[in-house]
Amino acid sequence: MQSLALALYALVVFTGLVNALAIPIRRISIPTTERPVIDIGKRHLEARQETSTSIIFEPSGFVITLRPRPTETTSSTTSLTSTSTASSSSTSATTTTSSTSTSSTTSSTSTTSTSTSTSSQRQPQQTPPADGSKKWVVAHHMVGNTFPYKKEDWLEDVKLAHESGIDGFALNTGRDEWEPDRIADAYQAALESKLDFKLFLSLDMASLPCNSAENAQYLRKLVLAHVDHPNQLKYDNRAFVSTFAGENCQFGQGGVEDAWKTQFTQHPELQGKIYFVPSFFIDPARFGSFNGVMDGDFNWNSGWPIKVTTNFAKDLLNEVANRVKEESQKGGLLRKPLNQVFSSANTGGGSAEAELQQALGKLIGSTESDTEHLNALKALSASLGKRDGEEVKPVYMAAVSPWFFTHYGANSFNKNFIFLSDQHLYSKRWESVIASRDQLDIVQVLTWNDYGESHYIGPIKGDQPDSESWTDGMDHTAWLGLTKYYATAFKTGQFPTIEKDQIYMWSRPHSATAQSPDPVPQPTNFELTEDAVWAVVLTTAPAKVTLSTSNNGDSNSSKTFDVPAGVSKLSIPITPGGIMKGVIERDGKVVVELAPTPEQFTFQGSPKSYNFNAFVASAVAN
């Protein structure tokens, strides 16, 4: 047994050495529920499956550690409010209709056209949180993508983020020796901006080595360089510090909990100076063992419905099919590809298809993971309450994210998958955290500039991690308008008044089932995606909204909705050759028109390479 273990160890080390020498990147992840996940410590990993075992390679020394599969939590004692919306469906809806719906959204075109509509009417809870604490919205900024940045670039980012309702950046920093200089520029730019804009370090422990006491000393040096800076985010009068990963770090001490305590949070150089809210990818039931280390928790994976994989959806489909009485219908249902099942549900197909769509829709933006983490944080409350003789509760930082797609081949970073982001994930997740704001302290937007995983909301600039093939021409800054709207609601407890009519639209650039000569195959979980144009409209008063995928007036490629004042989430199917167009009309007059040119966006049937990123556009009334 021992010889087998040594042989496996040697094989893994050799593989890691070859990869590290060939590709000097930060981090990668291969998601799967079928086998262990191998995470190679290189560069640019932003999501990790909590339900998988992983092997982490540290290129400096090739230390290998294992993260066991966490225990499943089947019940919870804390109940978070679900997404606060009043929903109504047009001819057929992909979202769950609320039993308390008081608004109506109707369609003025043929019922044969597939479309969805959901309107958000209710406000989040108005009462300020009992402890009177301030709510923050920050965005994750990958310093590893800023090699060519000057101070002026940081200043542009700070100003744009601030204008978009974002209060600060979490500066993700890894092992690159030039990164401390970029961090210093970021702090100086924030200072010179004269804005109330805060920064804090997010130590990327999938990149930074953590095998020795010297490694911990380097981390302390990074933190101490800015701990007293005027733009440093402070919490409980301490400098706020976070991480990506770090659950396997031992700093030469022989135990993770003791290592972080003695070499970082309680080390004489940092003791009493920092408020530590890491993102450790562990079973939340273990939080209690990190007393004296964790002052709170950042739940990175809460931004996406990560448990919704292709296999998960197929298992649900099997459960639904087993309830179908007619054997022929049951067989036909199971033979369909998943995206055809979704399309059938949208067109008012069988009740089984609609049941599957509804079951998956409940997981989009869900707070199930938040509940589990919040319950587990209670184990830290007693130790924090004794600190400085004052009552201090653990901080909980939730994540929101608009998208996830990465497409690196086996000869590169070897991560090629999506997380389900359809059905208006960004809006629904925001609405969930707003409805639960009294239990949340900080929301972190993932991300400002992680191009490799397609969840950036900032401009495409700086240094890309070989992601140009799926980011070129795929600007996401249109999402900043939605970010400001929802961030304001989270921080104040009230949705802001909509002063101008606005429309936001996005879609993938080709069909989910399209075939391509791309040597890198379709991403894992691609079957979950729908061929649709998604839209969110913010209207000052009731209006008509028309979504179109062609300019020829074909009624099958156009849909008109009567929407109330407020936020409405709409969609329309799209086929190869389709374009994107949205119009808001009131009193017979066009008040907003969004129409990207065919050169900017045309839905493809035979792409040169697979691209499940989103093209995003917006328009605002004058």
Side-chain angles (χ1 to χ4, degrees), residues 205-473:
M205 303 315 301
S207 170
L208 290 160
C210 56
N211 311 318
S212 68
E214 289 75 19
N215 297 151
Q217 182 181 25
Y218 176 74
L219 299 184
R220 297 195 302 270
K221 180 181 177 181
L222 279 177
V223 172
L224 287 168
H226 309 288
V227 71
D228 293 319
H229 192 280
N231 293 84
Q232 168 66 45
L233 178 62
K234 294 289 184 73
Y235 218 93
D236 191 27
N237 297 314
R238 290 167 165 82
F240 195 89
V241 180
S242 188
T243 73
F244 178 89
E247 65 278 2
N248 296 301
C249 293
Q250 296 190 18
F251 301 118
Q253 305 305 300
V256 174
E257 294 90 341
D258 186 61
W260 278 107
K261 183 183 295 184
T262 61
Q263 299 300 306
F264 195 69
T265 61
Q266 302 299 320
H267 189 278
E269 293 178 3
L270 290 183
Q271 188 172 19
K273 296 181 180 179
I274 65 170
Y275 199 97
F276 190 49
V277 182
S279 181
F280 288 161
F281 296 95
I282 60 175
D283 183 348
R286 287 182 55 197
F287 285 175
S289 66
F290 285 88
N291 275 313
V293 176
M294 294 174 59
D295 296 319
D297 167 52
F298 173 33
N299 187 359
W300 179 281
N301 281 340
S302 64
W304 308 274
I306 65 170
K307 76 177 184 181
V308 182
T309 63
T310 298
N311 287 338
F312 180 91
K314 287 180 177 178
D315 288 343
L316 276 181
L317 183 60
N318 281 325
E319 292 179 14
V320 171
N322 288 334
R323 292 194 289 271
V324 176
K325 294 182 179 180
E326 294 83 6
E327 197 63 29
S328 60
Q329 184 183 356
K330 176 179 177 179
L333 183 66
L334 292 177
R335 285 193 296 271
K336 288 182 180 179
L338 280 174
N339 50 14
Q340 287 187 20
V341 174
F342 296 148
S343 296
S344 180
N346 288 337
T347 55
S351 60
E353 289 95 330
E355 184 178 342
L356 173 66
Q357 182 75 294
Q358 184 180 63
L360 291 179
K362 291 179 180 178
L363 299 172
I364 307 296
S366 167
T367 56
E368 178 184 2
S369 174
D370 304 286
T371 299
E372 182 183 8
H373 282 240
L374 281 164
N375 285 334
L377 279 177
K378 294 174 184 177
L380 298 176
S381 297
S383 63
L384 287 179
K386 297 176 182 177
R387 189 168 69 186
D388 300 337
E390 298 179 2
E391 183 178 352
V392 180
K393 73 177 184 69
V395 160
Y396 180 70
M397 181 157 56
V400 298
S401 187
W403 211 253
F404 193 107
F405 162 65
T406 186
H407 192 55
Y408 294 106
N411 63 341
S412 178
F413 302 169
N414 200 20
K415 57 176 193 174
N416 180 32
F417 61 97
I418 70 165
F419 289 143
L420 179 61
S421 305
D422 284 353
Q423 299 188 42
H424 307 96
L425 169 65
Y426 199 42
S427 287
K428 289 183 178 179
R429 176 60 180 164
W430 265 116
E431 289 167 2
S432 292
V433 300
I434 291 167
S436 307
R437 66 183 296 275
D438 282 2
Q439 299 180 66
L440 314 180
D441 302 290
I442 304 173
V443 168
Q444 186 168 159
V445 180
L446 304 179
T447 60
W448 183 261
N449 65 334
D450 194 330
Y451 313 116
E453 293 178 354
S454 309
H455 43 63
Y456 52 95
I457 62 170
I460 299 175
K461 59 188 285 191
D463 202 9
Q464 288 204 50
D466 297 328
S467 53
E468 291 85 351
S469 65
W470 62 87
T471 60
D472 283 354

Side-chain angles (χ1 to χ4, degrees), residues 33-46:
T33 55
E34 305 294 326
R35 56 187 172 81
V37 173
I38 300 178
D39 291 335
I40 303 178
K42 294 178 179 178
R43 191 176 185 181
H44 301 296
L45 163 68
E46 289 305 335

Side-chain angles (χ1 to χ4, degrees), residues 544-601:
K544 290 186 181 295
V545 177
T546 300
L547 305 182
S548 306
T549 58
S550 76
N551 287 318
N552 60 15
D554 181 5
S555 61
N556 291 325
S557 60
S558 179
K559 190 76 172 181
T560 297
F561 307 88
D562 291 318
V563 302
V567 177
S568 298
K569 296 184 280 289
L570 315 171
S571 72
I572 187 173
I574 189 169
T575 57
I579 52 98
M580 178 188 296
K581 184 177 181 181
V583 177
I584 301 176
E585 295 180 86
R586 187 177 296 110
D587 299 328
K589 297 180 180 179
V590 173
V591 292
V592 177
E593 180 173 357
L594 173 60
T597 66
E599 291 74 25
Q600 291 173 314
F601 177 83

